[in-house]
Amino acid sequence: MSKRALDSPEAIRFLVDSFYEKVQADDFIGPIFTDVAHVDWAKHLPKMYAFWENIILGNNAYQGHPFRPHLLVNQQHTLTLDHFERWLKLFSETLSDHFEGTNADLVRQRATQIALVWNHKFEYINNDSYMGS
């Protein structure tokens, strides 16, 4: 199968759909989405299309606060470096499987940054010592 550029809303939808198929099938992070977060995919996927369109196309499609829902999930199931590494591995595999070019490289870098920053935030949140206890 030939690889394509990541340069349109249609390509972004394909990326997101392909990625979340991997996520749902994954035995490590899949249950967090289905059993802990109880993700409503009909609502979640359009938000993810808009989120990545905003990053890739700069079209301001996404309006929201992406960290908050993850914070709520973390209260039920502690999110760790292993979770972020698996998320990033699946995302990177999806990019490599289907896309090539500058935007694919930039999105891989951005996803890596998001995973690293969010992992750092959750390590801080999940470490009781910052509360002075």
Side-chain angles (χ1 to χ4, degrees):
M1 188 169 114
S2 64
K3 295 184 183 183
R4 58 197 282 196
L6 191 53
D7 59 359
S8 68
E10 295 75 22
I12 293 164
R13 280 195 291 276
F14 182 74
L15 166 66
V16 169
D17 289 346
S18 300
F19 168 64
Y20 281 106
E21 284 176 17
K22 286 181 184 263
V23 165
Q24 290 177 67
D26 188 81
D27 61 356
F28 184 56
I29 64 171
I32 295 171
F33 284 80
T34 56
D35 301 337
V36 178
H38 303 287
V39 170
D40 178 344
W41 295 103
K43 291 182 178 176
H44 186 66
L45 292 175
K47 287 180 187 175
M48 294 301 91
Y49 303 151
F51 178 81
W52 289 107
E53 280 183 32
N54 190 47
I55 289 174
I56 298 165
L57 304 177
N59 65 0
N60 297 316
Y62 181 78
Q63 303 294 322
H65 304 281
F67 191 74
R68 187 174 189 279
H70 298 83
L71 192 57
L72 298 175
V73 168
N74 183 69
Q75 291 173 355
Q76 300 171 51
H77 184 97
T78 302
L79 299 176
T80 67
L81 178 60
D82 290 341
H83 295 115
F84 289 102
E85 285 180 340
R86 180 68 59 91
W87 178 90
L88 187 59
K89 177 180 181 283
L90 296 174
F91 193 85
S92 188
E93 284 175 0
T94 305
L95 279 169
S96 295
D97 288 348
H98 302 291
F99 298 97
E100 61 187 0
T102 305
N103 281 353
D105 294 338
L106 291 173
V107 168
R108 181 177 285 105
Q109 291 172 5
R110 187 62 189 268
T112 302
Q113 290 171 337
I114 290 168
L116 290 172
V117 168
W118 285 27
N119 176 67
H120 182 72
K121 286 182 178 183
F122 281 112
E123 282 183 345
Y124 181 79
I125 289 165
N126 294 328
N127 179 352
D128 288 342
S129 66
Y130 85 92
M131 294 296 285
S133 51

